[in-house]
Amino acid sequence: MKLELRFFASLREALGVSQESITISDSVKTIADLRLQLIARGNPWSEVLADGKVLRCALNHHMVDASTALQDGAEVAFFPPVTGG
Amino acid sequence: MPIRIQEDDFDLSAEIAVLRKGDPRVGAVVTFLGAVRDMNDGSQVKGMTLEYYPGMTEKALQEILDQAKARWDTYQTLVIHRVGPLLPEDQIVLVAVTSAHRGEAFSACEFIMDYLKTAAPFWKKEDTPEGSKWVDARVNDETAMARWAKK
C-alpha cells in the first residue's frame, strides 16, 4: 500500500520532514500500526511519535483516531493539537 | 468566498458591508475579531508565525460552517484567518455571521470560533525573548468546544 505522509508544525521541525511517499507492508492496517512502523525507524521518529505524545492525525484531510483503517493512496498527516484563532 | 486563508490583512467594515449587501432580511450581524497579544503564558511575544494545512484547513472550516448553518437560522457566514508572520496588535481572525435576530448570530459565531480553536489545523509559533516556541494547545479550548455537545 502506498501512502503520502505529511507532517506539520513542531512535528515537521523535529523530524526535519514535511512530506514523504512511502510503501508499507500489508501488516500495517491502521493509523496506530503506521505510527508504530514510523517509531521503529529510531530517533528522531521514536522520540517525536512516542506513545504518550499527544498528536492529531488526519486521513485524506479528515481528523481520525488511531484505530482508523488506512487506504491505498491516502494522504496521512500527523500534527500537534491545533492552536489557531 | 465564505472561507479565506490569507497572509494579507483585512478590513472589518468592508467585509461586513459585502456580507450584508443586498440582503434586507438581515437584522443582526455578529463578528468576532481575534488579535495578536503581546503576552502569552507569561512570556513577551515579539511576533508569531502561523502555519496551516493547505487543503485540509479549508475543508475543516467548511464543515464547521455547515454544522453552524444546520443548528442556527443564519444567512451568511464568513471566516478569514491570516497565516504567515504576524506582529502584536495585528488582526488574526475574523468570524462574521448575519441573521434576522441577534440570538442566532451570537450563538453561531461563538460556536464557529470554539470549533475553529480545536478542529481547524492552524499552528502558532511565537517569537519570544527566550527564543521561538510552538504554542501549546489549551485545555480550556477543548472545554469550550465540549459545552456545545450538551445542548
Side-chain angles (χ1 to χ4, degrees):
Chain A
M1 181 162 29
K2 284 182 167 22
L3 297 173
E4 193 67 25
L5 304 183
R6 306 285 303 269
F7 303 96
F8 290 91
S10 53
L11 269 72
R12 171 179 57 73
E13 280 191 352
L15 295 171
V17 180
S18 62
Q19 194 158 358
E20 181 184 355
S21 303
I22 61 165
T23 302
I24 50 168
S25 70
D26 291 346
S27 62
V28 180
K29 295 187 188 316
T30 66
I31 296 285
D33 295 342
L34 174 64
R35 185 168 171 175
L36 287 174
Q37 184 92 356
L38 294 173
I39 286 170
R41 289 173 166 181
N43 262 333
W45 301 84
S46 53
E47 180 83 14
V48 173
L49 300 176
D51 198 21
K53 294 267 181 177
V54 180
L55 304 180
R56 297 287 182 266
C57 190
L59 180 76
N60 290 333
H61 296 163
H62 290 280
M63 284 280 204
V64 292
D65 60 31
S67 64
T68 304
L70 297 167
Q71 301 159 17
D72 188 33
E75 181 170 308
V76 180
F78 290 95
F79 44 81
V82 304
T83 55
Chain B
M1 282 289 290
I3 293 165
R4 295 194 338 244
I5 298 166
Q6 60 189 45
E7 291 211 8
D8 293 342
D9 200 6
F10 51 84
D11 181 332
L12 178 62
S13 300
E15 297 298 342
I16 292 173
V18 170
L19 202 65
R20 56 187 292 250
K21 188 179 168 65
D23 193 349
R25 299 172 304 166
V26 173
V29 181
V30 171
T31 62
F32 173 83
L33 178 69
V36 180
R37 276 175 290 117
D38 68 352
M39 288 289 287
N40 190 31
D41 292 335
S43 273
Q44 197 193 340
V45 176
K46 294 189 285 184
M48 65 167 62
T49 305
L50 258 133
E51 181 172 331
Y52 77 114
Y53 183 172
M56 177 172 172
T57 307
E58 296 86 346
K59 285 180 198 165
L61 290 172
Q62 187 60 57
E63 283 171 21
I64 295 166
L65 296 189
D66 290 346
Q67 285 183 55
K69 188 84 187 164
R71 281 179 80 153
W72 292 282
D73 196 6
T74 59
Y75 298 137
Q76 301 290 325
T77 49
L78 170 70
V79 177
I80 301 176
H81 204 302
R82 293 180 70 192
V83 292
L86 293 168
L87 296 170
E89 296 185 49
D90 278 351
Q91 305 188 111
I92 179 166
V93 61
L94 172 67
V95 175
V97 180
T98 69
S99 63
H101 304 287
R102 70 183 185 284
E104 305 277 299
F106 269 124
S107 295
C109 187
E110 194 172 20
F111 171 91
I112 291 166
M113 204 51 224
D114 283 351
Y115 269 69
L116 183 154
K117 280 270 182 189
T118 50
F122 291 101
W123 302 276
K124 289 182 183 133
K125 188 178 194 184
E126 291 174 343
D127 185 15
T128 74
E130 298 84 45
S132 62
K133 61 178 185 188
W134 292 96
V135 174
D136 286 328
R138 289 172 188 275
V139 174
N140 60 9
D141 285 338
E142 294 282 346
T143 312
M145 187 179 80
R147 74 200 156 105
W148 295 101
K150 291 173 189 162
K151 293 186 182 173

